[in-house]
């Protein structure tokens, strides 16, 4: 995981933020589960959107880190989750089916908010490829199918 992601997550080395308050967010067990699912979905979708054109630029990496930080509401996530998200970051060959497994876990309200994340990623390097435009269409179609 990038330095920006580590700063945004406020990584807790002791893996103990399951029910405590963090950054003004009450992390009940249920809320933490939602944050974890949303963070993983945003990471997967962001990496997929950034890598679909064959490479991920520094600007796209920074956007990914900001997206995941925003999705997690800057919560201190358990170390195992941070490691899983880091593994998602490293998987540049993620497929749409991989991404859908994560998206299937989040609410339709969360999905609606994710279109801003995709647009930020795609426009981060000031170049929008045909493949990136297809990601937008794939995501819109997926969201439509969930409504």
């Amino acid at each position: 995981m990038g330095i920006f992601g580590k700063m945004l997550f406020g990584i807790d080395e002791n893996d103990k933020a399951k029910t405590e308050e963090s950054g003004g967010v009450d992390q009940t067990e249920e809320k933490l589960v939602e944050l974890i699912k949303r963070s993983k979905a945003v990471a997967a979708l962001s990496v997929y959107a950034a890598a679909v054109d064959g490479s991920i630029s520094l600007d796209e990496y920074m956007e990914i880190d900001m997206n995941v930080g925003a999705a997690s509401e800057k919560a201190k996530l358990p170390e195992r989750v941070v490691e899983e998200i880091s593994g998602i970051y490293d998987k540049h060959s993620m497929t749409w089916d991989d991404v859908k497994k994560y998206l299937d876990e989040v609410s339709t309200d969360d999905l609606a908010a994710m279109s801003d994340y995709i647009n930020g990623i795609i426009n981060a390097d000031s170049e929008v490829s045909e493949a990136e435009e297809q990601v937008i269409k794939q995501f819109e179609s997926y969201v439509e199918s969930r409504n």
Side-chain angles (χ1 to χ4, degrees):
M1 173 176 295
I3 184 102
F4 299 104
K6 289 180 181 180
M7 288 187 302
L8 289 170
F9 277 111
I11 294 174
D12 182 3
E13 298 301 320
N14 295 321
D15 190 20
K16 64 180 181 179
K18 292 187 170 78
T19 57
E20 69 185 40
E21 279 194 32
S22 174
V25 177
D26 181 21
Q27 291 188 43
T28 62
E29 187 91 22
E30 187 177 307
K31 178 72 171 174
L32 184 62
V33 169
E34 288 175 25
L35 289 173
I36 289 169
K37 288 178 180 180
R38 183 172 54 232
S39 298
K40 291 192 281 188
V42 168
L45 182 61
S46 296
V47 168
Y48 178 74
V52 74
D53 62 357
S55 65
I56 301 178
S57 72
L58 178 59
D59 290 332
E60 288 171 328
Y61 270 118
M62 291 172 61
E63 192 73 27
I64 291 168
D65 282 339
M66 288 187 292
N67 289 350
V68 175
S72 70
E73 298 179 13
K74 300 181 185 177
K76 293 183 180 181
L77 299 175
E79 185 63 29
R80 66 176 172 71
V81 175
V82 173
E83 288 173 7
E84 186 174 350
I85 290 171
S86 184
I88 292 169
Y89 273 47
D90 296 337
K91 192 174 181 186
H92 295 192
S93 61
M94 186 165 286
T95 67
W96 179 245
D97 286 334
D98 295 332
V99 174
K100 286 194 306 188
K101 290 175 190 171
Y102 292 103
L103 296 177
D104 287 345
E105 297 291 318
V106 299
S107 72
T108 53
D109 290 339
D110 285 339
L111 287 174
M114 288 184 197
S115 63
D116 289 339
Y117 296 141
I118 294 176
N119 288 323
I121 294 281
I122 289 174
N123 291 302
D125 63 1
S126 302
E127 298 175 22
V128 180
S129 70
E130 206 171 296
E132 289 171 327
E133 289 176 4
Q134 282 301 115
V135 171
I136 293 170
K137 290 177 183 172
Q138 276 181 311
F139 183 70
E140 287 172 349
S141 176
Y142 175 81
V143 171
E144 220 173 271
S145 75
R146 289 275 309 268
N147 287 328

